[in-house]
Amino acid sequence: MSKGDGDFISNSDVEPALDVTSSVGEFKIKVFLNGVEQGWFTDVGPPEYWITVTPRQVDGTTWTQVAYGGFTYLKKSTNNYLSYRSNNVVFSNGLKMRGWDVAAKWQLSGKNLKCLDNNSLVGKEGDSFYLDNKNIVEVEFVPL
């Protein structure tokens, strides 16, 4: 899936095991735009797994944080991480679920979610999310 689509390969090592001793635990991501709740991060499913929001918390994706090499990755399941697509013509820098080999590095920057790979904040356009520093959204990690 990831290696053949022409994007930069960022993780050549084997996917790290989840640290079950981590104090962070599972959480869902609530999204706001200009202080107005937008819903909960999820993906639209196959074939591309673009990130969108759902209005109900129960339907949102359950996330865990994976610390590896001094960075934090947001994991949904094995080989299924929050990332973006840098070379897509229509959805350039669009957020999507991808494999470990192109998983993005993340950091909470105040109430914003910052990708350390392209140094951009998550923004929203229509029903889609991008790493383009436009219409920047606020996020809240809600523990389960």
Side-chain angles (χ1 to χ4, degrees):
M1 152 175 126
S2 302
K3 291 183 180 182
D5 62 20
D7 276 337
F8 173 72
I9 304 301
S10 60
N11 302 309
S12 59
D13 295 335
V14 174
E15 179 179 7
L18 184 62
D19 180 4
V20 294
T21 64
S22 171
S23 62
V24 176
E26 295 182 329
F27 58 95
K28 298 212 178 191
I29 301 175
K30 187 188 257 187
V31 182
F32 301 85
L33 180 61
N34 299 321
V36 177
E37 183 178 328
Q38 302 295 298
W40 301 84
F41 265 170
T42 191
D43 65 73
V44 297
E48 290 290 333
Y49 298 92
W50 297 109
I51 296 297
T52 189
V53 288
T54 182
R56 297 177 354 128
Q57 179 179 4
V58 68
D59 297 327
T61 295
T62 298
W63 303 91
T64 55
Q65 292 185 50
V66 174
Y68 182 76
F71 298 103
T72 300
Y73 300 85
L74 299 178
K75 180 177 182 173
K76 175 181 175 181
S77 58
T78 300
N79 206 31
N80 209 359
Y81 292 80
L82 183 63
S83 196
Y84 67 104
R85 185 71 188 273
S86 64
N87 72 348
N88 188 282
V89 175
V90 177
F91 294 109
S92 182
N93 294 319
L95 262 63
K96 67 184 297 185
M97 299 306 297
R98 303 191 77 192
W100 167 248
D101 59 336
V102 287
K105 301 169 187 80
W106 300 97
Q107 177 184 55
L108 273 178
S109 180
K111 293 183 178 183
N112 305 118
L113 189 57
K114 182 177 185 178
C115 178
L116 298 178
D117 293 292
N118 73 354
N119 203 33
S120 294
L121 298 173
V122 173
K124 183 174 189 259
E125 185 176 321
D127 292 333
S128 301
F129 292 88
Y130 297 88
L131 288 169
D132 60 5
N133 293 316
K134 298 176 186 171
N135 301 317
I136 297 170
V137 298
E138 300 85 37
V139 297
E140 180 182 340
F141 287 12
V142 179
L144 296 181

